[in-house]
Coordinates of all heavy atoms in Angstrom, one line a residue:
N213 N -0.9 -24.9 8.4 CA -0.2 -23.9 9.2 C -0.1 -22.4 8.7 O 0.3 -21.5 9.3 CB 1.3 -24.4 9.5 CG 1.4 -25.6 10.3 OD1 0.8 -25.8 11.3 ND2 2.2 -26.7 9.9
E214 N -0.6 -22.3 7.4 CA -0.7 -21.0 6.8 C -1.8 -20.3 7.6 O -2.0 -18.9 7.4 CB -1.0 -21.1 5.3 CG 0.2 -21.6 4.5 CD 1.3 -20.6 4.5 OE1 1.0 -19.3 4.6 OE2 2.5 -21.0 4.3
Y215 N -2.7 -21.0 8.2 CA -3.9 -20.3 8.8 C -3.8 -20.3 10.4 O -3.7 -21.3 11.0 CB -5.2 -21.1 8.4 CG -5.3 -21.1 6.9 CD1 -4.7 -22.1 6.1 CD2 -5.8 -20.0 6.2 CE1 -4.8 -22.2 4.8 CE2 -5.8 -20.1 4.9 CZ -5.3 -21.2 4.1 OH -5.3 -21.1 2.7
Y216 N -3.9 -19.2 10.9 CA -3.7 -19.1 12.5 C -4.5 -17.8 12.9 O -5.1 -17.1 12.2 CB -2.3 -18.8 12.7 CG -1.4 -17.8 11.9 CD1 -1.5 -16.4 12.2 CD2 -0.9 -18.1 10.6 CE1 -0.9 -15.5 11.4 CE2 -0.3 -17.2 9.8 CZ -0.2 -15.9 10.2 OH 0.3 -14.9 9.4
K217 N -4.5 -17.8 14.1 CA -5.2 -16.6 14.8 C -4.3 -15.4 14.7 O -3.3 -15.2 15.3 CB -5.6 -16.9 16.3 CG -6.5 -18.2 16.5 CD -6.6 -18.4 18.0 CE -7.4 -19.7 18.1 NZ -7.5 -20.0 19.5
P218 N -4.8 -14.3 14.0 CA -4.1 -13.0 14.1 C -4.0 -12.5 15.4 O -5.0 -12.6 16.2 CB -5.0 -12.1 13.1 CG -5.7 -13.0 12.3 CD -5.9 -14.3 13.2
T219 N -2.9 -11.9 15.8 CA -2.7 -11.4 17.1 C -3.0 -9.9 17.3 O -3.2 -9.4 18.3 CB -1.2 -11.5 17.6 OG1 -0.4 -10.9 16.7 CG2 -1.0 -13.0 17.6
K220 N -3.2 -9.3 16.0 CA -3.4 -7.7 16.1 C -4.8 -7.3 15.7 O -5.1 -6.0 15.7 CB -2.4 -7.1 15.4 CG -0.9 -7.5 15.9 CD 0.2 -6.6 15.0 CE 1.5 -7.0 15.6 NZ 2.6 -6.3 14.8
Y221 N -5.7 -8.2 15.4 CA -7.0 -7.7 15.1 C -8.0 -8.9 15.2 O -7.5 -10.1 15.2 CB -7.1 -7.0 13.8 CG -6.7 -7.9 12.6 CD1 -7.5 -8.9 12.1 CD2 -5.4 -7.8 12.0 CE1 -7.2 -9.7 11.0 CE2 -5.0 -8.6 11.0 CZ -5.8 -9.6 10.4 OH -5.4 -10.5 9.3
T222 N -9.3 -8.5 15.1 CA -10.4 -9.5 15.1 C -11.1 -9.0 13.9 O -11.5 -7.9 13.8 CB -11.2 -9.6 16.3 OG1 -10.4 -10.3 17.4 CG2 -12.6 -10.3 16.1
Y223 N -11.6 -9.9 13.0 CA -12.1 -9.5 11.8 C -13.2 -10.6 11.4 O -12.9 -11.7 11.3 CB -11.2 -9.3 10.5 CG -11.9 -8.8 9.3 CD1 -12.8 -7.9 9.4 CD2 -11.3 -9.1 8.1 CE1 -13.4 -7.4 8.1 CE2 -11.8 -8.7 7.0 CZ -13.0 -7.8 7.0 OH -13.4 -7.4 5.8
E224 N -14.5 -10.1 11.5 CA -15.6 -11.0 11.2 C -15.9 -11.2 9.6 O -16.7 -10.4 8.9 CB -16.9 -10.5 11.8 CG -16.8 -10.4 13.3 CD -18.0 -10.0 14.0 OE1 -18.9 -9.6 13.3 OE2 -18.1 -10.0 15.2
K225 N -15.2 -12.1 9.0 CA -15.4 -12.3 7.6 C -15.0 -13.8 7.4 O -14.0 -14.3 7.8 CB -14.4 -11.4 6.8 CG -14.6 -11.5 5.2 CD -13.9 -10.5 4.5 CE -14.1 -10.7 2.9 NZ -13.5 -9.7 2.1
W226 N -15.8 -14.4 6.4 CA -15.5 -15.8 6.0 C -14.7 -15.6 4.7 O -15.0 -15.0 3.7 CB -16.8 -16.5 5.8 CG -17.6 -16.8 7.0 CD1 -18.7 -16.1 7.5 CD2 -17.2 -17.8 7.9 NE1 -19.1 -16.7 8.8 CE2 -18.2 -17.7 9.0 CE3 -16.2 -18.8 8.0 CZ2 -18.2 -18.5 10.1 CZ3 -16.3 -19.6 9.1 CH2 -17.2 -19.6 10.1
Y227 N -13.7 -16.6 4.6 CA -12.8 -16.9 3.5 C -13.1 -18.3 3.0 O -12.9 -19.1 3.9 CB -11.5 -16.4 3.7 CG -11.1 -15.0 4.0 CD1 -11.3 -14.5 5.3 CD2 -10.8 -14.1 3.0 CE1 -11.0 -13.2 5.5 CE2 -10.6 -12.7 3.3 CZ -10.7 -12.3 4.6 OH -10.4 -10.9 4.7
V228 N -13.2 -18.5 1.8 CA -13.1 -19.9 1.2 C -11.6 -20.1 0.8 O -11.2 -19.6 0.0 CB -14.0 -20.2 0.0 CG1 -13.9 -21.6 -0.5 CG2 -15.5 -19.7 0.3
I229 N -11.0 -21.0 1.6 CA -9.6 -21.3 1.4 C -9.3 -22.5 0.7 O -8.1 -22.9 0.3 CB -8.8 -21.3 2.7 CG1 -9.3 -22.3 3.7 CG2 -8.9 -19.9 3.4 CD1 -8.6 -22.4 4.9
G230 N -10.4 -23.4 0.4 CA -10.0 -24.5 -0.3 C -11.3 -25.2 -0.8 O -12.5 -24.9 -0.2
M231 N -11.2 -26.2 -1.7 CA -12.5 -26.8 -2.1 C -12.0 -28.3 -2.6 O -11.0 -28.5 -3.1 CB -13.0 -26.1 -3.4 CG -14.2 -26.9 -4.0 SD -14.7 -26.1 -5.5 CE -15.9 -27.2 -6.2
S232 N -13.0 -29.2 -2.4 CA -12.6 -30.6 -2.9 C -14.1 -31.2 -3.3 O -15.1 -30.5 -3.1 CB -12.0 -31.5 -1.7 OG -13.0 -31.6 -0.7
E233 N -13.8 -32.4 -3.9 CA -15.2 -32.9 -4.4 C -15.0 -34.5 -4.4 O -13.8 -34.9 -4.0 CB -15.3 -32.6 -6.0 CG -15.6 -31.2 -6.2 CD -15.9 -30.9 -7.7 OE1 -15.2 -31.5 -8.6 OE2 -16.7 -30.0 -8.0
A234 N -16.1 -35.2 -4.4 CA -16.2 -36.6 -4.5 C -17.3 -37.2 -5.5 O -18.2 -36.4 -5.7 CB -16.5 -37.0 -3.1
Y235 N -17.0 -38.3 -6.1 CA -18.0 -38.9 -7.0 C -19.0 -39.7 -6.2 O -18.7 -40.4 -5.2 CB -17.3 -39.9 -7.9 CG -16.4 -39.2 -8.9 CD1 -15.1 -39.7 -9.1 CD2 -16.8 -38.3 -9.7 CE1 -14.3 -39.2 -10.0 CE2 -16.0 -37.6 -10.5 CZ -14.7 -38.0 -10.8 OH -13.8 -37.5 -11.7
L236 N -20.2 -39.2 -6.4 CA -21.4 -40.0 -5.8 C -22.3 -40.5 -6.8 O -23.3 -39.8 -7.2 CB -22.2 -39.1 -4.8 CG -21.5 -38.6 -3.5 CD1 -22.3 -37.7 -2.7 CD2 -21.0 -39.8 -2.6
G237 N -22.1 -41.7 -7.4 CA -22.8 -42.3 -8.5 C -22.7 -41.4 -9.7 O -21.6 -41.1 -10.2
E238 N -23.8 -40.8 -10.2 CA -23.8 -39.9 -11.4 C -23.7 -38.4 -10.9 O -23.7 -37.5 -11.8 CB -25.1 -40.1 -12.2 CG -25.3 -41.4 -12.7 CD -24.1 -41.8 -13.8 OE1 -23.6 -40.8 -14.5 OE2 -23.5 -42.8 -13.7
N239 N -23.6 -38.2 -9.7 CA -23.4 -36.8 -9.2 C -22.1 -36.4 -8.7 O -21.2 -37.4 -8.3 CB -24.5 -36.5 -8.1 CG -25.8 -36.6 -8.6 OD1 -26.1 -36.1 -9.7 ND2 -26.8 -37.1 -7.8
I240 N -21.7 -35.3 -8.4 CA -20.4 -34.8 -7.7 C -20.8 -33.9 -6.5 O -21.6 -33.1 -6.5 CB -19.7 -34.0 -8.8 CG1 -19.2 -34.8 -10.0 CG2 -18.4 -33.4 -8.0 CD1 -18.6 -33.9 -11.1
Q241 N -20.2 -34.4 -5.4 CA -20.4 -33.8 -4.0 C -19.3 -32.8 -3.8 O -18.2 -33.1 -3.9 CB -20.6 -34.8 -2.9 CG -20.6 -34.1 -1.6 CD -22.0 -33.5 -1.3 OE1 -23.0 -34.1 -1.6 NE2 -21.9 -32.2 -1.1
T242 N -19.7 -31.5 -3.5 CA -18.6 -30.5 -3.1 C -18.5 -30.4 -1.7 O -19.3 -30.5 -1.0 CB -19.0 -29.2 -3.7 OG1 -20.3 -28.8 -3.2 CG2 -19.2 -29.3 -5.3
Y243 N -17.2 -30.0 -1.3 CA -16.9 -29.7 0.0 C -16.0 -28.4 0.0 O -15.3 -28.2 -0.9 CB -16.0 -30.9 0.6 CG -16.5 -32.1 0.8 CD1 -16.3 -33.0 -0.1 CD2 -17.4 -32.4 1.8 CE1 -16.9 -34.4 -0.1 CE2 -18.1 -33.8 1.7 CZ -17.8 -34.8 0.8 OH -18.3 -35.9 0.8
F244 N -16.3 -27.6 1.0 CA -15.5 -26.3 1.2 C -15.0 -26.1 2.4 O -15.6 -26.5 3.5 CB -16.5 -25.1 0.8 CG -17.1 -25.0 -0.7 CD1 -18.4 -25.7 -0.7 CD2 -16.4 -24.6 -1.7 CE1 -18.8 -25.6 -2.1 CE2 -16.9 -24.6 -2.9 CZ -18.1 -25.3 -3.1
Y245 N -13.8 -25.4 2.5 CA -13.0 -25.1 3.7 C -13.0 -23.6 4.0 O -12.6 -22.9 3.2 CB -11.7 -25.7 3.6 CG -11.7 -27.2 3.2 CD1 -11.8 -27.5 1.8 CD2 -11.7 -28.2 4.0 CE1 -11.8 -28.9 1.4 CE2 -11.9 -29.5 3.6 CZ -11.8 -29.8 2.4 OH -11.9 -31.2 2.1

Side-chain angles (χ1 to χ4, degrees):
N213 294 314
E214 293 288 331
Y215 303 94
Y216 48 86
K217 300 176 183 179
T219 60
K220 298 184 179 180
Y221 60 79
T222 286
Y223 184 33
E224 296 183 355
K225 184 175 180 179
W226 290 104
Y227 294 87
V228 184
I229 60 172
M231 175 186 175
S232 62
E233 294 184 326
Y235 293 130
L236 294 177
E238 295 301 317
N239 294 323
I240 297 171
Q241 176 66 57
T242 61
Y243 301 97
F244 297 95
Y245 306 89

